[in-house]
Amino acid sequence: MYINLSSSLNYMQYPNFIKFIFYTCLSITIFGCKKQNGDGEYVAYFGGEIVNPNSRIVLFCKDDNVIDTIKLDKNNRFFIKFDSLAPGMYSFKHEPEYQYVYFDKNDSIMVRVNSNDFDNSLMYCGRGDLKNNFLMDLYLKNEKDKNKMFEVFEYDINKFNKNIDSSYQVTQKYFEKKKQEIQWDDDFDQYAKAAMDFHYYSKKELYPTIHKIRTGKDVYEVIPNGYYDFRKNIDYNNENLSSFAPFVMYLHNMLNNMGSINYHNHFSEADIALKTNINKLNIADTLIKNEKLKNIILNNIAFGYLLEDQNMINNKTFLDTYHKYSTDKSSKNEINKISNAIQQMKVGGNLPEVMLLNQNDEKVSSNSFANKKTVIFFWTARAYSHFEAVHKKIIEFKKQYPDYQFIAVNLNDTQSEWKKILKTYNLLGIIELRCDDFKDIKEKWAINKIHRTIILDKNGKIKNAFTNIFDTKFEENLKN
């Protein structure tokens, strides 16, 4: 069984779990061997332990659809037998985190993960562990590589190509070595190869945009012939990869690159955003013929655009194009919900009412914000650096703008977790409330990320419902 060093060091802190997972892996592997001889049987097992769990359940999913909800026992362990599980790529979720798990016929896989450091602590054992540990190790290598890329994107095109080609060659050698050792089949190979290739391809797609952002230099005209030749060999209609993050993220990066507008001086920022995203819809419709995959990509483009751009006229133009291409009725409903919520957040309108909780466990209506200039911002303990940074920023603004009330809304921590955090900080003068129904606030206020700020005027009317405290122009909203 392959275990990376960072995982094994943490793992040694839990000797009881070592015994549990060793004997469980041994028993289910032996049992799995017996079952494998049965004709037409696809019995499989999945289980493990969640250290420091965020909730009492683990979701087992296929293509983002929940197959089973597995409860943790009193020892934070879970276990399930599948009488028939088709081979392929699955995922398991322990909110807010998730990771992939690949099953061959009759695999018996156990996982151990610490939710405080989900990816770095995750390891697999049992029948099928070698493939999954390889995939996890490749994921961690790619994440480490991403963190080194900021400086690399500043290189000129020749130096950049040399750097990423060298890194890719190292990964290819590692890939071939593990493939030879593990002897995986063609079905798993498509996922393993996708995890390797699309990380490399994404860097090539990202380079022109990020290079310009970081250096101010436009490299589109000096990109050498053949730079994008790899695109010719991509199967844009591979439904098996339709929910596999490396592939979906590559398509996102590729569409951003291909859809970008390079004659910015002729348009406003809102019009640039509209034209760019309609370009992306058009390109996706041309490239992707598989209906399921096309709908996933179209929905990703729509979610991203509608949550970033709130020009009402442009939104309608965008949605007209989106509806022309999308055939996913259920997802259209979700897109329409966001669109409708945005319509309710117009400048000069009333903030739709939501119910929040205070530290005394009492319900507080957002209508009570109506008689004073107000700034509403959001946070969660799961993004701790943001929590600290946004509160620090708000404390500064409170000194400069005493005529405003500043309201912090916690989005997805429990009442007890929220109170515990607040006790450790001196946040005097900030009204701290908690959202107890995220679905309600998401649908009414179009909240889908914590980097959102809502500003109300002295009459409680919406002044700006889609701004960001860290925006360089944010303070202008408070002065006017």
Side-chain angles (χ1 to χ4, degrees), residues 49-68:
E49 180 177 4
I50 309 290
V51 181
N52 299 313
N54 295 319
S55 68
R56 303 308 304 170
I57 61 171
V58 172
L59 302 177
F60 187 77
C61 308
K62 177 67 174 175
D63 297 332
D64 295 326
N65 297 312
V66 177
I67 295 176
D68 271 289

Side-chain angles (χ1 to χ4, degrees), residues 57 79 219 299 370 401 421 453:
I57 61 171
F79 188 79
V219 296
N299 292 338
Y401 302 95
I421 293 167
T453 309

Side-chain angles (χ1 to χ4, degrees), residues 112-215:
R112 179 267 171 184
V113 64
N114 187 329
S115 66
N116 289 343
D117 191 14
F118 195 90
D119 292 330
N120 285 306
S121 67
L122 177 60
M123 62 163 292
Y124 300 87
C125 82
R127 178 184 293 279
D129 65 333
L130 295 178
K131 295 187 298 294
N132 284 290
N133 278 318
F134 163 76
L135 204 61
M136 192 65 214
D137 194 47
L138 185 58
Y139 168 81
L140 292 174
K141 288 178 184 294
N142 288 343
E143 289 299 298
K144 186 176 181 180
D145 183 58
K146 286 179 186 178
N147 293 331
K148 296 178 180 178
M149 286 302 299
F150 294 103
E151 181 180 342
V152 177
F153 282 122
E154 296 180 1
Y155 294 169
D156 64 51
I157 186 68
N158 292 326
K159 186 177 180 182
F160 172 78
N161 272 333
K162 185 176 180 180
N163 178 280
I164 66 168
D165 287 348
S166 175
S167 175
Y168 183 52
Q169 289 166 9
V170 171
T171 305
Q172 282 181 311
K173 289 180 181 178
Y174 171 68
F175 174 91
E176 293 299 335
K177 176 185 175 184
K178 301 305 290 187
K179 183 177 181 179
Q180 183 66 29
E181 290 176 3
I182 299 172
Q183 294 290 305
W184 59 62
D185 62 17
D186 290 342
D187 187 67
F188 178 78
D189 191 66
Q190 69 177 320
Y191 294 102
K193 198 167 189 308
M196 173 180 66
D197 289 346
F198 288 113
H199 173 70
Y200 169 67
Y201 298 159
S202 282
K203 290 191 284 188
K204 295 185 75 94
E205 300 286 0
L206 287 166
Y207 174 72
T209 301
I210 298 181
H211 183 81
K212 185 172 182 179
I213 291 172
R214 294 186 65 84
T215 68

Side-chain angles (χ1 to χ4, degrees), residues 140-350:
L140 292 174
K141 288 178 184 294
N142 288 343
E143 289 299 298
K144 186 176 181 180
D145 183 58
K146 286 179 186 178
N147 293 331
K148 296 178 180 178
M149 286 302 299
F150 294 103
E151 181 180 342
V152 177
F153 282 122
E154 296 180 1
Y155 294 169
D156 64 51
I157 186 68
N158 292 326
K159 186 177 180 182
F160 172 78
N161 272 333
K162 185 176 180 180
N163 178 280
I164 66 168
D165 287 348
S166 175
S167 175
Y168 183 52
Q169 289 166 9
V170 171
T171 305
Q172 282 181 311
K173 289 180 181 178
Y174 171 68
F175 174 91
E176 293 299 335
K177 176 185 175 184
K178 301 305 290 187
K179 183 177 181 179
Q180 183 66 29
E181 290 176 3
I182 299 172
Q183 294 290 305
W184 59 62
D185 62 17
D186 290 342
D187 187 67
F188 178 78
D189 191 66
Q190 69 177 320
Y191 294 102
K193 198 167 189 308
M196 173 180 66
D197 289 346
F198 288 113
H199 173 70
Y200 169 67
Y201 298 159
S202 282
K203 290 191 284 188
K204 295 185 75 94
E205 300 286 0
L206 287 166
Y207 174 72
T209 301
I210 298 181
H211 183 81
K212 185 172 182 179
I213 291 172
R214 294 186 65 84
T215 68
K217 298 177 181 178
D218 193 333
V219 296
Y220 282 98
E221 294 183 2
V222 299
I223 288 177
N225 292 332
Y227 179 83
Y228 294 115
D229 279 355
F230 63 88
R231 290 176 179 169
K232 301 174 184 176
N233 300 318
I234 295 174
D235 179 4
Y236 294 101
N237 295 289
N238 189 337
E239 190 170 324
N240 289 338
L241 299 179
S242 63
S243 298
F244 192 50
F247 179 60
V248 175
M249 183 56 66
Y250 166 73
L251 290 179
H252 171 79
N253 294 329
M254 182 267 290
L255 290 169
N256 280 344
N257 188 15
M258 293 182 70
S260 61
I261 303 294
N262 296 320
Y263 36 94
H264 292 181
N265 293 337
H266 301 289
F267 302 106
S268 67
E269 289 186 10
D271 286 341
I272 290 171
L274 173 66
K275 290 178 180 296
T276 296
N277 281 278
I278 286 183
N279 277 353
K280 288 157 66 174
L281 293 176
N282 291 333
I283 295 167
D285 180 65
T286 300
L287 278 181
I288 306 170
K289 300 307 178 184
N290 180 280
E291 185 175 327
K292 177 182 176 182
L293 180 56
K294 181 190 290 189
N295 283 329
I296 289 172
I297 299 305
L298 293 176
N299 292 338
N300 287 344
I301 296 169
F303 276 118
Y305 175 72
L306 292 174
L307 291 170
E308 293 294 337
D309 182 77
Q310 277 69 50
N311 181 298
M312 301 302 173
I313 297 174
N314 285 359
N315 278 351
K316 183 181 184 307
T317 303
F318 173 84
L319 286 169
D320 286 344
T321 305
Y322 165 80
H323 288 309
K324 183 172 70 173
Y325 296 141
S326 177
T327 61
D328 189 340
K329 303 300 182 184
S330 61
S331 292
K332 277 185 179 179
N333 289 335
E334 287 300 312
I335 298 299
N336 284 335
K337 283 180 183 178
I338 293 177
S339 178
N340 291 336
I342 291 170
Q343 292 288 337
Q344 297 301 313
M345 303 292 281
K346 290 180 180 178
V347 173
N350 294 317

